[in-house]
Amino acid sequence: FKIKNSNPLIDGRETLEISINAGKQSNGQKYTLESKEVLAIAKSNEKLQSIEILSSYSILRSSKKHLPISINIPDIVKTGARYDIDLILNEPLKEAIIAGGLINISPKDIANQYSPSIQLTPLGGGGLFKSVQAPYSPGIQRWAAILAHPDGLISVTKMVRVISDN
Protein backbone atom coordinates (compact mmCIF):
# COMPACT_ATOMS: atom_id res chain seq x y z
CA PHE A 1 0.00 0.00 0.00
CA LYS A 2 1.55 3.33 -1.07
CA ILE A 3 0.26 6.88 -1.03
CA LYS A 4 2.26 9.63 -2.67
CA ASN A 5 1.67 13.24 -3.60
CA SER A 6 1.71 13.94 -7.31
CA ASN A 7 1.91 17.19 -9.22
CA PRO A 8 -0.84 19.72 -8.46
CA LEU A 9 -3.42 20.38 -11.17
CA ILE A 10 -3.72 23.66 -13.09
CA ASP A 11 -6.80 24.55 -11.00
CA GLY A 12 -4.72 24.29 -7.80
CA ARG A 13 -6.07 21.00 -6.51
CA GLU A 14 -3.56 18.60 -4.99
CA THR A 15 -3.30 15.07 -6.35
CA LEU A 16 -2.68 11.82 -4.52
CA GLU A 17 -1.66 8.54 -6.08
CA ILE A 18 -2.79 5.45 -4.18
CA SER A 19 -1.25 2.10 -5.18
CA ILE A 20 -2.01 -1.34 -3.82
CA ASN A 21 -0.04 -4.48 -4.62
CA ALA A 22 -0.93 -7.68 -2.81
CA GLY A 23 -0.52 -11.38 -3.32
CA LYS A 24 -1.27 -14.75 -1.85
CA GLN A 25 -0.44 -18.33 -2.75
CA SER A 26 -2.86 -21.17 -2.06
CA ASN A 27 -3.09 -24.74 -3.40
CA GLY A 28 -0.58 -24.10 -6.17
CA GLN A 29 -2.43 -20.99 -7.37
CA LYS A 30 -0.98 -17.51 -7.10
CA TYR A 31 -3.41 -14.62 -6.53
CA THR A 32 -2.24 -11.06 -7.08
CA LEU A 33 -3.93 -7.69 -7.00
CA GLU A 34 -2.55 -4.51 -8.54
CA SER A 35 -4.61 -1.35 -8.18
CA LYS A 36 -4.00 2.35 -8.64
CA GLU A 37 -6.13 5.48 -8.22
CA VAL A 38 -5.24 9.10 -8.73
CA LEU A 39 -7.36 11.55 -6.74
CA ALA A 40 -7.78 15.32 -7.01
CA ILE A 41 -8.28 16.94 -3.63
CA ALA A 42 -9.65 20.44 -3.05
CA LYS A 43 -8.98 22.01 0.33
CA SER A 44 -9.92 25.31 1.90
CA ASN A 45 -8.31 26.48 5.15
CA GLU A 46 -6.74 23.00 5.45
CA LYS A 47 -10.21 21.40 5.38
CA LEU A 48 -11.19 18.88 2.75
CA GLN A 49 -13.76 20.32 0.34
CA SER A 50 -13.98 17.64 -2.36
CA ILE A 51 -12.36 14.53 -3.79
CA GLU A 52 -12.52 13.53 -7.44
CA ILE A 53 -11.20 10.28 -8.91
CA LEU A 54 -9.08 11.20 -11.93
CA SER A 55 -8.03 7.69 -12.92
CA SER A 56 -8.53 4.19 -11.60
CA TYR A 57 -7.65 0.65 -12.61
CA SER A 58 -7.22 -2.76 -11.03
CA ILE A 59 -5.78 -6.06 -12.21
CA LEU A 60 -6.62 -9.29 -10.40
CA ARG A 61 -4.72 -12.42 -11.41
CA SER A 62 -5.36 -16.02 -10.49
CA SER A 63 -2.65 -18.11 -12.09
CA LYS A 64 0.01 -20.76 -11.73
CA LYS A 65 2.62 -18.26 -12.90
CA HIS A 66 2.73 -14.49 -13.32
CA LEU A 67 1.10 -13.44 -16.59
CA PRO A 68 2.46 -9.98 -17.49
CA ILE A 69 -0.08 -7.76 -19.25
CA SER A 70 -0.10 -4.26 -20.74
CA ILE A 71 -3.25 -2.18 -20.48
CA ASN A 72 -3.73 0.43 -23.20
CA ILE A 73 -6.92 2.26 -22.26
CA PRO A 74 -7.03 6.06 -22.08
CA ASP A 75 -7.83 7.83 -18.80
CA ILE A 76 -9.74 10.62 -20.60
CA VAL A 77 -11.69 10.75 -23.87
CA LYS A 78 -13.96 13.33 -25.48
CA THR A 79 -17.71 12.84 -25.74
CA GLY A 80 -18.70 10.72 -28.72
CA ALA A 81 -15.09 9.76 -29.53
CA ARG A 82 -14.11 6.26 -30.59
CA TYR A 83 -11.21 4.82 -28.65
CA ASP A 84 -9.40 1.53 -28.25
CA ILE A 85 -9.33 -0.86 -25.33
CA ASP A 86 -6.28 -3.12 -25.62
CA LEU A 87 -5.24 -5.74 -23.06
CA ILE A 88 -2.03 -7.28 -24.32
CA LEU A 89 -0.32 -10.39 -22.95
CA ASN A 90 3.36 -9.52 -22.89
CA GLU A 91 4.59 -13.08 -23.45
CA PRO A 92 4.05 -15.04 -26.67
CA LEU A 93 1.11 -17.46 -26.59
CA LYS A 94 2.98 -20.26 -28.40
CA GLU A 95 0.43 -23.11 -28.58
CA ALA A 96 -1.97 -21.57 -26.04
CA ILE A 97 -5.44 -20.40 -26.93
CA ILE A 98 -7.00 -17.61 -24.89
CA ALA A 99 -10.53 -16.33 -24.47
CA GLY A 100 -11.72 -12.98 -23.27
CA GLY A 101 -14.57 -10.56 -22.90
CA LEU A 102 -15.33 -6.93 -22.14
CA ILE A 103 -18.35 -5.22 -20.62
CA ASN A 104 -19.30 -1.67 -19.70
CA ILE A 105 -20.36 -1.51 -16.04
CA SER A 106 -23.19 0.93 -15.28
CA PRO A 107 -23.16 3.27 -12.25
CA LYS A 108 -26.25 1.38 -11.01
CA ASP A 109 -24.34 -1.93 -11.13
CA ILE A 110 -21.49 -0.36 -9.18
CA ALA A 111 -23.82 1.15 -6.56
CA ASN A 112 -25.56 -2.23 -6.13
CA GLN A 113 -22.20 -4.09 -6.12
CA TYR A 114 -23.51 -6.22 -8.98
CA SER A 115 -21.02 -8.55 -10.65
CA PRO A 116 -21.97 -8.71 -14.32
CA SER A 117 -21.53 -11.82 -16.44
CA ILE A 118 -18.87 -11.37 -19.09
CA GLN A 119 -19.31 -13.48 -22.23
CA LEU A 120 -15.99 -15.05 -23.19
CA THR A 121 -15.06 -15.58 -26.83
CA PRO A 122 -11.91 -17.09 -28.32
CA LEU A 123 -9.30 -14.46 -29.12
CA GLY A 124 -7.13 -14.74 -32.20
CA GLY A 125 -4.18 -12.67 -30.99
CA GLY A 126 -2.17 -12.11 -27.87
CA GLY A 127 -4.85 -10.18 -26.04
CA LEU A 128 -8.17 -8.38 -26.19
CA PHE A 129 -8.50 -5.58 -28.73
CA LYS A 130 -11.76 -3.61 -28.93
CA SER A 131 -12.83 -0.28 -30.37
CA VAL A 132 -15.58 1.41 -28.33
CA GLN A 133 -17.42 4.71 -28.37
CA ALA A 134 -17.71 7.23 -25.57
CA PRO A 135 -21.20 8.48 -24.68
CA TYR A 136 -22.34 11.83 -26.04
CA SER A 137 -22.58 13.37 -22.58
CA PRO A 138 -19.74 13.88 -20.08
CA GLY A 139 -19.33 11.41 -17.26
CA ILE A 140 -17.52 8.19 -16.51
CA GLN A 141 -17.34 4.86 -18.29
CA ARG A 142 -16.18 1.84 -16.32
CA TRP A 143 -14.98 -1.25 -18.09
CA ALA A 144 -14.52 -4.80 -16.83
CA ALA A 145 -12.60 -7.38 -18.84
CA ILE A 146 -11.42 -10.90 -18.33
CA LEU A 147 -8.77 -12.95 -20.11
CA ALA A 148 -8.73 -16.72 -19.70
CA HIS A 149 -5.33 -18.29 -20.36
CA PRO A 150 -4.34 -21.96 -19.82
CA ASP A 151 -2.11 -20.74 -16.97
CA GLY A 152 -4.79 -18.64 -15.26
CA LEU A 153 -7.29 -15.80 -15.30
CA ILE A 154 -6.73 -12.05 -15.50
CA SER A 155 -9.52 -9.66 -14.53
CA VAL A 156 -9.19 -5.95 -15.30
CA THR A 157 -11.32 -2.95 -14.37
CA LYS A 158 -10.65 0.54 -15.70
CA MET A 159 -12.33 3.92 -15.38
CA VAL A 160 -12.42 6.29 -18.37
CA ARG A 161 -13.42 9.94 -17.85
CA VAL A 162 -15.57 11.33 -20.66
CA ILE A 163 -15.24 15.10 -21.08
CA SER A 164 -16.92 17.57 -23.42
CA ASP A 165 -15.11 19.61 -26.05
CA ASN A 166 -15.66 22.66 -23.87
Side-chain angles (χ1 to χ4, degrees), residues 10 12 29-31 56 65 69 97-99 101 106-107 117 119 123 128 138 141 144 148 156 163:
I10 294 171
Q29 283 286 99
K30 184 177 180 181
Y31 301 92
S56 174
K65 66 175 192 168
I69 185 172
I97 296 174
I98 62 171
S106 74
S117 294
Q119 175 109 13
L123 301 173
L128 177 76
Q141 279 189 309
V156 175
I163 60 171

Side-chain angles (χ1 to χ4, degrees), residues 133-146:
Q133 184 164 1
Y136 289 100
S137 57
I140 292 175
Q141 279 189 309
R142 292 188 196 274
W143 295 99
I146 192 162

Side-chain angles (χ1 to χ4, degrees), residues 11 24 29 58 61:
D11 64 10
K24 181 175 180 151
Q29 283 286 99
S58 66
R61 293 178 177 89

Side-chain angles (χ1 to χ4, degrees), residues 120-139:
L120 298 181
T121 57
L123 301 173
L128 177 76
F129 306 94
K130 297 283 184 182
S131 182
V132 297
Q133 184 164 1
Y136 289 100
S137 57

